[in-house]
Amino acid sequence: MSIGARGIDILTQFLIESIIISVTGGIIGVIFGAAASFCVKILLNWPVSIQIFSVILSFVVCSVTGIFFGWYPAKKAANLDPIEALRYE
């Protein structure tokens, strides 16, 4: 804000960053989970079934959590007075 950004610009920047991080984490988590299930199936000969509903649910929970915890500090940062923000830097 001290160099001319509006509150909506700061909110958008924080939200885009949190969405990218949470979606990337969700994709990596699904890949690692599927790989671990496959390893259990191969190494221990256990029957393993990956349900698409559980993959979608875990991805949605990850995304919603990331978006909420990105939105909250973004809203705080967008409402800060630039002078107060610079005073503590």
Side-chain angles (χ1 to χ4, degrees):
M1 292 182 107
S2 65
I3 59 172
R6 297 173 301 173
I8 190 71
D9 298 328
I10 294 170
L11 185 67
T12 304
Q13 180 181 357
F14 272 73
L15 280 178
I16 288 173
E17 180 182 351
S18 69
I19 289 169
I20 289 173
I21 289 172
S22 65
V23 168
T24 303
I27 291 171
I28 291 171
V30 166
I31 290 170
F32 278 152
S37 296
F38 184 72
C39 288
V40 165
K41 180 180 180 179
I42 296 297
L43 295 174
L44 300 176
N45 260 352
W46 290 356
V48 174
S49 174
I50 300 174
Q51 301 294 321
I52 192 69
F53 176 73
S54 62
V55 171
I56 292 171
L57 181 65
S58 66
F59 190 74
V60 166
V61 168
C62 174
S63 298
V64 168
T65 304
I67 290 168
F68 174 75
F69 285 106
W71 172 80
Y72 180 71
K75 193 68 174 163
K76 268 181 92 169
N79 292 333
L80 265 178
D81 181 33
I83 302 301
E84 289 297 320
L86 289 174
R87 180 176 300 167
Y88 295 105
E89 294 267 329

